[in-house]
Amino acid sequence: MAATDSAIRSTHGAPSRLGLPRLTPVRVVALLAAAVVVQTLPALPPHWLAVAVTVLALILLFVRRTSRVPVWFALGLGLTLLRAHGALETRLPTDLHGRDFDLIGVIRGLPDVAGRSARFEFDIESASLDHAAVDLSGLARLNWYDHAPELAPCSRWSLRARLRPPRGLVNPGGQDSERGAVQRAVVAVGYVREATQNAAIGIASGVCVDGWRRAIAAAISRRFGVHPSAGLLRALAVGDQQGIGDPEWQVLRATGISHLIAISGLHVGMFAAFGALLARLLWKSFPRLTLRVPGPLLEAPAAMLCAFGYGLLAGMGVPTVRTLLMIAIALLARYSRRASSVAQALALAAAIIVLWDPLAVLSAGFWLSFAGVAILLFVTRPAGVAHVVWREMPRLQLVLSLALLPVTVWFFGQGSLIGPVANLIAVPWVSFLVVPFTVAGGLLVVDLPGIGGPLLDLADLLLRILWPIMQWLSALPSAQVYFASASPWAFALAVTGIGWCLMPRGVPARPMGLLLCVPLLVPAQPRPAAGEFEAWLFDVGQGLSILVRTREHALLYDTGPRYPSGYDIGDAVVTPSLRALGMASLDRMILSHGDNDHAGGAAAVHLAFPQATISSGEPERLALPAARCREGESWAWDGVTMRVVAAAQGDAPSSNDRSCVVLIEGISGSLLLTGDATSEVESSITKAIGRATEPLVLVVGHHGSRTATSAAFLDALSPQLALVSAGYRNHFGHPHGEVVERFARRSIPLFNTADAGYLHLTLSAGKLRVEQGRAARAAWWRSGSRHPDAGEP
């Protein structure tokens, strides 16, 4: 306690008797800025340099009591670099990609069961490869396809699994799964193989909180069946979101109340505030109690107890633990016997978080957690300060919505115009009514269903009262707004502007700070000149999806796959990428043919862009209405001509050869989209094309299969550049070595999304330029080797 007391005293600038370095908000900002700077690096400096910087900074901190800001920046830099190196060193090596390992470990969290398959987190205790032990331990994310047994939390298993290092798709929008894996310390991903040694071998030692959570979730499901409220109650009670369907998620996002279901830092902070308010009611009911113990000191443990209990139910994930630590530090500083400002309390909390987990700054939850703690500090003011929570709620909600605007837009690319109104209704209703009854009912429903069941029924009734209001709000025009990707400078300006708006009264022209948010909310979107076009070949794994954009129009060719697990590339990758590029609408969507890897994501994209007309080479195989592509059909957009040069009918030799092949011609060059067309129809394609505007860019047919892109086809077209969309280390072996050799012999540059991420093609003044996603968005956490910068082929 003495060390903590000294640290708190140091936040006020008082000299430390122990000679400890002084901690001030400005120095914490330097510490935090250093952690952020590391996340912008395309590659990490040598490990020895990180050690040297850390040691030097620690020496200077204790040798020089002034502890200047640059020293704190150096300390944050060194510690974050060390943590980043550690994260990469524990990851499965790339040269062991796709090998079968024998693992022993423990199932963590709640497995996600879908039919006969399951997805779960596995804490690897030991691993072996070809009967030889390997140095691999830590968290792995595994799938068990078909005939998955019951996977109980905290059970120890022996498994054979095919593993690979975490590697994600790189696109203009969407989730960066590699960044998330580093942040959550995931060392490998993979799936369980059929093997005799796959068996449960015991139970992990210690108390199994996850088993308790699973029992509560199962009891809620049994009581409410498949009703949508069952999934919401499970999420609120134990943080289990598996039962929430897409319609419910749509309402949550459109109204901006997803944070209430996700048990984010804000939610845990609100639960702590709820505990503090209960304690306040207690000591106000017994004022003599404060003669022995000051009221605020009664509120602090109550707030922490409620937050910690709810954190246990939420699964004690990294974001939850981080939030609990922030709350503990903030409460300690806030309720110390010495005066403490909000800035000092938050500074101390931020310092502890960054020192404990420097990679926390990678997540939106880190920044949202500070907002939750700020609300806690506002609500739980010291005794003697006039403060009526219910009167303050509208103001706090408005301030919160405004403060979170830059972070929400930057991380999620969307916002809710009716969010402040929806939150003003939902936050007190859920936090002070639904959640208490849900948590109380969940705690009792397993052992005392006669008491816990009615409490859950009451929580369900409260949700059913609220939900129609949220549905009505979500259906309002423009309830949910999507924003195009903006530069880091636009984000910095927006944060500055919001900070200016939230300054105390007396600061001049505070509303003018909103003007600094304009570059973030309405970023500049360069458009092709008249007669020119650009194309984006999205990184969709083993599939195809291409956006072609003229000055005022847009065509989407194919939408990527939808997997049996339910993972939909159209929803997870293509739609977010279109929105990140500022696409408010699509004019046309062409699905080359009916194969899943080309049309699987079509329904999700059509739901997001319903105004687009749809055509396909195989409309009869699609799950949505579409016209049939007609050979010879052409149209012009902004001086760019688009023409269907092949669209074989039902008598084609294969489904692949029914692909709708499209040639796009502008004044600066041409682009040929071939779908999965094979060499059987390539001669007819070249005849239909005739002489295309040069330079010609070819999207390689059938992902580079050796059944397509014949030597005769290449000789007839003479493309200057080729693009291929294929999955990383796919089991088909695409692009085939023979095809790659054909391009090499003709000195035709070949770019592959499997290696490069998305490919952005621009044709201007007869010149080609290709931006490669992994090079343009280089980050130290990307697996694999780095790739050359974008340039002219």
Side-chain angles (χ1 to χ4, degrees):
M1 185 65 187
T4 304
D5 227 17
S6 175
I8 294 174
R9 284 198 302 271
S10 67
T11 64
H12 304 283
S16 172
R17 295 179 181 177
L18 300 178
L20 294 178
R22 294 184 299 172
L23 189 62
T24 66
V26 174
R27 289 164 185 166
V28 172
V29 169
L31 191 72
L32 185 61
V36 173
V37 165
V38 172
Q39 314 318 325
T40 66
L41 298 177
L44 295 177
H47 190 275
W48 64 265
L49 182 60
V51 174
V53 170
T54 304
V55 172
L56 179 61
L58 287 173
I59 293 174
L60 291 177
L61 278 180
F62 286 89
V63 168
R64 302 188 63 180
R65 291 195 178 188
T66 52
S67 304
R68 298 185 183 277
V69 169
V71 178
W72 283 95
F73 182 86
L75 178 63
L77 196 68
L79 291 176
T80 308
L81 288 173
L82 289 176
R83 176 70 175 83
H85 274 290
L88 294 184
E89 290 167 359
T90 57
R91 179 185 289 180
L92 180 72
T94 304
D95 57 0
L96 296 181
H97 182 288
R99 302 290 298 277
D100 289 345
F101 292 80
D102 293 319
L103 309 175
I104 293 178
V106 177
I107 293 177
R108 300 297 184 192
L110 302 181
D112 184 1
V113 179
R116 305 179 70 181
S117 302
R119 182 171 52 194
F120 59 99
E121 292 187 341
F122 193 68
D123 190 0
I124 301 174
E125 297 176 343
S126 62
S128 61
L129 178 63
D130 298 331
H131 306 290
V134 295
D135 184 16
L136 179 65
S137 61
L139 196 63
R141 289 180 174 171
L142 301 179
N143 287 281
W144 196 321
Y145 300 114
D146 298 328
H147 310 290
E150 183 178 357
L151 301 172
C154 306
S155 58
R156 178 174 278 105
W157 282 74
S158 171
L159 298 175
R160 171 163 291 181
R162 179 161 293 180
L163 301 180
R164 59 180 176 83
R167 182 184 176 91
L169 307 174
V170 180
N171 288 286
Q175 183 180 10
D176 189 339
S177 59
E178 291 178 68
R179 181 181 67 185
V182 164
Q183 176 198 334
R184 294 173 177 82
V186 175
V187 299
V189 297
Y191 61 94
V192 178
R193 302 274 286 169
E194 291 289 338
T196 56
Q197 65 262 45
N198 293 341
I201 56 176
I203 299 294
S205 59
V207 178
C208 182
V209 176
D210 288 333
W212 181 38
R213 296 171 61 224
R214 184 193 185 197
I216 294 174
I220 292 175
S221 295
R222 288 193 301 268
R223 190 170 190 90
F224 298 102
V226 296
H227 193 275
S229 63
L232 297 173
L233 289 174
R234 283 168 54 182
L236 289 171
V238 296
D240 179 15
Q241 302 177 19
Q242 300 171 23
I244 302 178
D246 290 338
E248 288 73 45
W249 276 120
Q250 179 60 32
V251 172
L252 293 171
R253 295 189 186 104
T255 53
I257 63 170
S258 300
H259 61 92
L260 293 176
I261 303 299
I263 311 186
S264 63
L266 172 63
H267 205 170
V268 176
M270 283 186 160
F271 208 81
F274 178 76
L277 290 174
L278 289 180
R280 180 171 297 181
L281 291 175
L282 175 65
W283 67 259
K284 282 189 174 181
S285 300
F286 302 94
R288 290 190 178 184
L289 184 62
T290 59
L291 296 177
R292 296 180 176 271
V293 182
L297 294 184
L298 292 174
E299 295 173 13
M304 195 63 220
L305 183 62
C306 285
F308 183 76
Y310 196 43
L312 284 175
L313 282 177
M316 278 297 179
V318 173
T320 304
V321 174
R322 182 173 63 239
T323 303
L324 290 173
L325 183 58
M326 288 178 61
I327 290 173
I329 296 299
L331 286 174
L332 181 62
R334 187 63 167 160
Y335 295 117
S336 64
R337 294 182 182 274
R338 295 176 177 271
S340 176
S341 68
V342 173
Q344 290 167 333
L346 288 179
L348 185 57
I352 298 297
I353 293 298
V354 173
L355 293 174
W356 175 63
D357 181 16
L359 301 186
V361 298
L362 284 169
S363 72
F366 172 80
W367 307 101
L368 294 174
S369 295
F370 275 97
V373 174
I375 289 177
L376 168 69
L377 294 175
F378 278 126
V379 173
T380 58
R381 291 179 181 176
V385 178
H387 181 61
V388 180
V389 175
W390 293 104
R391 294 179 182 176
E392 289 288 300
M393 282 298 292
R395 181 182 65 84
L396 291 179
Q397 186 56 57
L398 181 60
V399 168
L400 177 64
S401 298
L402 188 62
L404 295 183
L405 180 63
V407 177
T408 303
V409 172
W410 178 258
F411 280 98
F412 306 115
Q414 58 183 300
S416 175
L417 292 180
I418 49 89
V421 176
N423 275 274
L424 189 60
I425 299 171
V427 167
W429 189 268
V430 173
S431 298
F432 297 107
L433 293 176
V434 179
V435 168
F437 287 117
T438 301
V439 173
L443 293 174
L444 298 173
V445 71
V446 176
D447 298 318
L448 297 173
I451 301 175
L455 290 174
L456 288 173
D457 291 338
L458 182 55
D460 176 60
L461 176 62
L462 292 168
L463 267 181
R464 290 174 188 252
I465 294 172
L466 174 69
W467 200 247
I469 302 174
M470 297 297 106
Q471 288 178 313
W472 178 78
L473 288 173
S474 68
L476 293 176
S478 302
Q480 193 172 13
V481 180
Y482 298 95
F483 301 92
S485 295
S487 67
W489 293 110
F491 174 69
L493 280 175
V495 171
T496 303
I498 293 300
W500 186 3
C501 290
L502 299 180
M503 293 292 284
R505 292 181 181 178
V507 175
R510 288 188 301 161
M512 297 298 290
L514 293 175
L515 293 177
L516 296 181
C517 298
V518 173
L520 177 67
L521 302 180
V522 191
Q525 293 291 316
R527 296 174 179 269
E532 296 182 347
F533 66 90
E534 62 180 343
W536 298 77
L537 182 59
F538 297 132
D539 183 10
V540 296
Q542 189 65 18
L544 181 66
S545 184
I546 307 169
L547 171 69
V548 179
R549 181 164 62 179
T550 66
R551 186 166 185 82
E552 301 293 341
H553 297 275
L555 163 72
L556 182 68
Y557 185 90
D558 286 344
T559 59
R562 186 181 191 277
Y563 296 100
S565 64
Y567 183 70
D568 192 328
I569 288 290
D571 179 60
V573 174
V574 178
T575 298
S577 294
L578 293 173
R579 286 170 172 158
L581 293 173
M583 303 304 303
S585 63
L586 287 175
D587 295 280
R588 188 162 184 171
M589 183 161 61
I590 295 179
L591 306 174
S592 60
H593 61 306
D595 284 1
N596 176 67
D597 57 337
H598 292 255
V605 176
H606 179 59
L607 182 64
F609 299 92
Q611 72 285 346
T613 59
I614 305 174
S615 57
S616 173
E618 291 187 305
E620 67 278 0
R621 292 182 60 193
L622 304 180
L624 66 169
R628 183 176 297 279
C629 281
R630 300 295 178 184
E631 187 172 330
E633 177 188 5
S634 66
W635 62 98
W637 288 341
D638 308 315
V640 176
T641 302
M642 303 190 182
R643 178 162 53 103
V644 178
V645 296
Q649 303 303 311
D651 57 350
S654 71
S655 172
N656 291 336
D657 289 334
R658 301 187 193 113
S659 294
C660 183
V661 181
V662 179
L663 175 67
I664 302 164
E665 290 186 281
I667 59 176
S668 297
S670 305
L671 176 67
L672 181 61
L673 311 178
T674 59
D676 274 353
T678 70
S679 56
E680 295 292 328
V681 295
E682 287 178 349
S683 61
S684 62
I685 293 175
T686 56
K687 291 178 182 178
I689 290 175
R691 184 175 182 83
T693 305
E694 294 186 350
L696 172 65
V697 179
L698 171 67
V699 177
V700 179
H702 203 184
H703 320 290
S705 167
R706 64 178 176 179
T707 62
T709 320
S710 64
F713 187 59
L714 291 179
D715 291 336
L717 292 179
S718 298
Q720 281 72 51
L721 178 69
L723 312 176
V724 62
S725 178
Y728 180 71
R729 296 199 180 191
N730 64 86
H731 64 277
F732 299 103
H734 294 161
H736 196 274
E738 293 180 9
V739 176
V740 174
E741 178 61 24
R742 290 170 197 164
F743 285 100
R745 284 199 301 266
R746 292 162 178 80
S747 300
I748 302 173
L750 179 66
F751 293 86
N752 187 356
T753 59
D755 302 317
Y758 73 82
L759 297 169
H760 178 205
L761 171 71
T762 56
L763 299 94
S764 179
K767 293 184 178 180
L768 298 177
R769 183 174 177 83
V770 179
E771 178 187 79
Q772 302 176 67
R774 286 187 172 267
R777 302 177 183 232
W780 61 262
W781 55 80
R782 302 262 187 245
S783 60
S785 59
R786 293 185 62 198
H787 303 281
D789 293 336
E792 296 179 5

